[in-house]
Amino acid sequence: IPYGTVNLRHGVPPKETPITCTAGVGTFIVEFATISRLTGDPIYERTALRALDALWRARSEKDLVGNHINVLTGQWTAIDSGIGAGIDSYFEYLVKGSALTGNSTLFDMFLAYNESAYKYLHEGDWYVWAHMKSGLKTR
């Protein structure tokens, strides 16, 4: 799982926190898959897929993910799950990544999350926040 801030010339800033939001991890697949296609070097896409896979493996038994995760330990530091800020782009980029790369596994991940979001987060006309492990509403 990548840090939230990386300087391409100097690496990770010395005071950078190891805590990153879930949404930020998902966004790399489109850019990195494109770089792989432009350069002919698959390492960029593989790296982005590894980050997505790490989040998939860190999901709860209810197929929910939290809002923030420690990139060094893989432990969730914010366990509220939702479809809003901090998480939303992760789901969006699973769909976009699948469309760009033809990787149906990414879309299957999205479908699993979508089903769980409807089951645990949907309330009337709204989607709410819930504890990622219990599925109980938090707000």
Side-chain angles (χ1 to χ4, degrees):
I1 300 175
Y3 279 88
T5 302
V6 177
N7 181 303
L8 295 179
R9 185 168 290 180
H10 304 289
V12 177
K15 295 185 180 182
E16 176 65 16
T17 177
I19 309 303
T20 194
C21 71
T22 304
V25 177
T27 62
F28 291 102
I29 186 60
V30 170
E31 291 87 354
F32 281 35
T34 301
I35 291 170
S36 282
R37 282 157 175 71
L38 292 173
T39 64
D41 187 346
I43 193 165
Y44 304 103
E45 183 174 334
R46 281 198 310 254
T47 300
L49 288 171
R50 281 188 17 232
L52 292 174
D53 185 57
L55 277 183
W56 176 252
R57 286 183 279 114
R59 74 192 189 286
S60 73
E61 291 181 5
K62 300 201 178 302
D63 285 340
L64 296 171
V65 290
N67 203 304
H68 289 86
I69 193 166
N70 184 312
V71 302
L72 299 176
T73 66
Q75 297 298 306
W76 292 102
T77 60
I79 54 176
D80 279 351
S81 186
I83 62 167
I87 302 177
D88 55 348
S89 293
Y90 173 54
F91 304 128
E92 173 189 348
Y93 279 85
L94 287 172
V95 174
K96 288 179 178 179
S98 176
L100 174 68
T101 65
N103 183 333
S104 63
T105 299
L106 298 178
F107 195 71
D108 291 342
M109 290 173 171
F110 169 78
L111 291 175
Y113 289 129
N114 188 57
E115 184 177 324
S116 290
Y118 193 81
K119 181 176 182 179
Y120 296 106
L121 309 175
H122 186 251
E123 191 172 279
D125 291 336
W126 299 93
Y127 281 83
V128 298
W129 293 91
H131 188 284
M132 68 175 278
K133 293 183 181 176
S134 70
L136 297 174
K137 311 280 188 296
T138 58
R139 298 181 197 176

